[in-house]
Amino acid sequence: MLSLEPEQQFLLRELWTLAWAASVQRANLYAPGSRQTGQLRDMLQEFITTRILPHYVGSCTERQHYLNLAQLVEFGTGALPDSLRDGRYRYGVAQKLLNLVLKYHWCLGQISEPPHCPIDRIIIEKTHLRGRVNWTEIVDEDQYRAVIEAVRRKAEPESIARWELRNYRRRSSL
């Protein structure tokens, strides 16, 4: 990654905070009584920043993206399994975090267009899987691939990332 100005570093820290919050807010990720939530967040940030993000500076293939997601799930599960509900970092939570981080970095011109978009209820509701899939409960690549294929069919002829950027609208809290 390129060296960044303090203003860019600030923005990326803030965007990381938003991505993290979005990935865990409805996910029921932690085991009851866990006190290591900040430690897991920091470990995942370091892993994504140093090990995964460099794959996206140039064009990242979809195959590599799936490998990156698998590595993130494996790392997240192994990092602090006792702090996680069911002892695992779920695929749906991992994809939301990684895909949102990638979206932010792409929109800031830091990386190339990512192969996917963040999958959440708003995006799933735009597909034929509406009401049948909960992103927080996606536990493996096969379930995630099914959602991505539904989004791809909806997005064509656009890329998934560009389609989502054009169609994502946060629910209003008013």
Side-chain angles (χ1 to χ4, degrees), residues 100-125:
L100 202 46
V101 166
L102 295 175
K103 178 181 178 179
Y104 292 154
H105 280 261
W106 170 49
C107 289
L108 289 173
Q110 299 291 317
I111 64 168
S112 297
E113 180 179 330
H116 295 167
C117 67
I119 300 299
D120 61 14
R121 187 170 64 170
I122 293 170
I123 294 303
I124 292 171
E125 284 182 353

Side-chain angles (χ1 to χ4, degrees), residues 47 67 120:
F47 184 78
L67 291 172
D120 61 14

Side-chain angles (χ1 to χ4, degrees), residues 1 25-26 89 93 110 161 165-166 172:
M1 300 292 292
Q25 68 184 346
R26 289 177 172 67
Y89 186 56
V93 177
Q110 299 291 317
L165 196 60
R166 210 172 39 74
S172 174

Side-chain angles (χ1 to χ4, degrees), residues 64-106:
Q64 181 64 52
H65 186 63
Y66 279 113
L67 291 172
N68 294 341
L69 280 167
Q71 288 176 1
L72 180 57
V73 169
E74 182 180 344
F75 179 83
T77 297
L80 297 167
D82 293 340
S83 70
L84 299 171
R85 182 174 62 117
D86 302 326
R88 68 175 187 220
Y89 186 56
R90 288 187 308 283
Y91 203 97
V93 177
Q95 71 75 27
K96 176 85 178 254
L97 177 61
L98 179 58
N99 285 326
L100 202 46
V101 166
L102 295 175
K103 178 181 178 179
Y104 292 154
H105 280 261
W106 170 49

Side-chain angles (χ1 to χ4, degrees), residues 1-171:
M1 300 292 292
L2 303 170
S3 68
L4 302 173
E5 296 296 322
E7 297 86 353
Q8 293 169 310
Q9 291 175 10
F10 166 77
L11 277 178
L12 291 175
R13 281 192 310 270
E14 291 298 303
L15 291 173
W16 168 264
T17 300
L18 290 173
W20 176 258
S23 76
V24 299
Q25 68 184 346
R26 289 177 172 67
N28 196 17
L29 178 64
Y30 298 108
S34 176
R35 293 198 166 107
Q36 297 176 312
T37 59
Q39 188 177 356
L40 179 64
R41 179 198 61 230
D42 294 346
M43 292 170 77
L44 289 169
Q45 182 178 17
E46 176 71 17
F47 184 78
I48 288 172
T49 301
T50 61
R51 302 278 305 278
I52 293 181
L53 208 50
H55 290 278
Y56 298 88
V57 174
S59 183
C60 182
T61 65
E62 188 169 44
R63 181 176 184 275
Q64 181 64 52
H65 186 63
Y66 279 113
L67 291 172
N68 294 341
L69 280 167
Q71 288 176 1
L72 180 57
V73 169
E74 182 180 344
F75 179 83
T77 297
L80 297 167
D82 293 340
S83 70
L84 299 171
R85 182 174 62 117
D86 302 326
R88 68 175 187 220
Y89 186 56
R90 288 187 308 283
Y91 203 97
V93 177
Q95 71 75 27
K96 176 85 178 254
L97 177 61
L98 179 58
N99 285 326
L100 202 46
V101 166
L102 295 175
K103 178 181 178 179
Y104 292 154
H105 280 261
W106 170 49
C107 289
L108 289 173
Q110 299 291 317
I111 64 168
S112 297
E113 180 179 330
H116 295 167
C117 67
I119 300 299
D120 61 14
R121 187 170 64 170
I122 293 170
I123 294 303
I124 292 171
E125 284 182 353
K126 295 181 182 298
T127 74
H128 74 277
L129 297 173
R130 180 184 188 155
R132 298 187 352 219
V133 175
N134 181 344
W135 69 270
T136 64
E137 298 302 323
I138 295 173
V139 296
D140 62 32
E141 184 177 310
D142 289 339
Q143 291 176 317
Y144 175 70
R145 279 183 184 269
V147 175
I148 287 298
E149 289 312 310
V151 173
R152 188 183 321 277
R153 285 192 294 276
K154 193 76 173 167
E156 287 178 343
E158 285 183 289
S159 70
I160 292 171
R162 289 209 176 274
W163 175 85
E164 188 268 354
L165 196 60
R166 210 172 39 74
N167 285 281
Y168 182 83
R169 296 293 177 267
R170 184 181 307 277
R171 286 189 174 87

